[in-house]
Amino acid sequence: MASKITQSSAASVQHVKPSAVGDSEHVDDASGPSSTGPTSATQTPALTPITSRAVLQSKDDVILVTFEPDDPNDPMNWSNAKKWRTTILLCFMCLFIGLATASFSAGITDMCEEFGVAVEVGQVGMFVFNASFAVVPMFLGPLSEFIGRNPIYLGSYALFTVWFIPIALAQNIQTVIIARLLSGCFGAAGTTIIPGTLADIWSTKERGLPINLFSFVAVFGTVAAPLWTGFINQNIGWRWIEWIQLICNGALLIVELVFLSETRGGLILAKRAKALRKETGDSRYKAASEIETPSLRALLSASTTRAFVLLVREPVVFFFSLWLAFAWAIIFLFFAVIPLTFQHNHGWSQGIAGLPYISSIIGTFLAFGASFHQNAVYARVREQNGGIPSPEARLWWSRIGGILLPVSLFWFSWTQFASVPWIVPTLALCPMVFSIYLIFDAVQNYLADGYGEYASSAISAQGFIRNMLAASFPLYSTQMFTNMGYQWAGTLCALIATVMIPLPVSDPV
């Protein structure tokens, strides 16, 4: 009977005593690089201690349903074409959500004039969007463990797309702020749980390029938006920034609905086990996730409390998170600084003042190229260590980035004079974004490698600090640079970055 069922279901089954799996008091860490992948028939993953709510139906043997070694339905065994299709679809989703993060900034001034409120009130729309990215992923990650990745991705992305409509039709600033808050809550899924999904389908050895691509679109989407939204706002108004995004995201949503596949192996096995129970009438058929998965409440508690415990008790998590948070917040700071420099000092129109972002985009592409060398360094060190990963090997290029960030900030700050040719501060944007990308990529990968089964909690911790700091910077950036002076405000940022230079220094690789 077992062989017949195995053949028809493309899964293997194994008799297991309840004590082997049913008495486990563990739970997988929230979604992240170390929490996913297929479940073995003879060995379950290392799990985080939490009281399990799972209860066996009887004391008889459990028939454990697992993937066979070459099962094509196991996400880890998908063809490279299907894996890359999933990766590219997720990266496009991340790109479009990233564009929405920054696009809003281009229309804030005109929007606030129309509604008769201060620009600072309009900046709250930036704050609530980014702040939601800091909090919501702590809940979406555990939820995806229960209901799968696709319901979270597709449901959230559909609702994210819908909220462009009330922003575009808004008649007061309150509507805009509420819609931006809800848009950010639903958009968070499309950027923050992607690393966990990539871990569902790519092995550790293969994951370098997909993760690099994700890092690239996360940075590129954020820095590229002002390049085109300034022209839209200048020529057809701020509302059309939202309408155009609605059209683009709506089109992508249709593609995602058709082609995006579920990657959560545990969920696929749970569905198979349910089908076997129905087919045979034997309630002993179980997937490991059905036996070991705790309550949603336990998962939520773990994903939120553990992240903050790591921030308090692990200096590496705290300081690396602070380093990345500051670097990431500089991007959002410059959404206000670049218009001040090029519109006020050089008299450019809003659309033309967005062209310096081309320098930022070039820096993103250069950093993407550098990430290939970073992967080669990591692979070489791992081979020298007998196949054992070395998290410090992830930091090679970030050391260069740590130096280039304050250098580029000093460069930009002291060339913000009307008498200095526009090309000089523009060129400074390239190494600045280049360094931010390198820091972003290094910290994400270092925490994933260094904290094993707690990796997603460490990444959630840095995500919280990073997005909260990025949310707050636009609230006071204009006043800071206006009151302190362009040069001295920039110098303050450069000095803070200088203090952080030693952070990635470790054993030579």
Side-chain angles (χ1 to χ4, degrees), residues 391-457:
E392 288 75 17
R394 298 285 194 185
L395 303 176
W396 197 92
W397 271 96
S398 71
R399 300 170 191 172
I400 298 173
I403 296 171
L404 282 178
L405 182 57
V407 169
S408 58
L409 286 170
F410 278 121
W411 175 357
F412 187 91
S413 300
W414 291 98
T415 57
Q416 290 185 88
F417 295 99
S419 58
V420 177
W422 62 269
I423 190 63
V424 181
T426 299
L427 290 175
L429 297 174
C430 180
M432 184 183 74
V433 174
F434 178 82
S435 62
I436 292 171
Y437 181 110
L438 296 176
I439 294 169
F440 178 90
D441 192 53
V443 171
Q444 294 269 41
N445 283 297
Y446 179 87
L447 294 178
D449 285 357
Y451 284 86
E453 61 183 291
Y454 300 106
S456 60
S457 293

Side-chain angles (χ1 to χ4, degrees), residues 286-311:
K286 299 282 187 180
S289 61
E290 294 180 288
I291 300 170
E292 296 184 344
T293 302
S295 67
L296 179 59
R297 180 179 178 181
L299 276 173
L300 291 174
S301 175
S303 67
T304 52
T305 58
R306 190 183 298 123
F308 291 107
V309 168
L310 287 174
L311 277 177

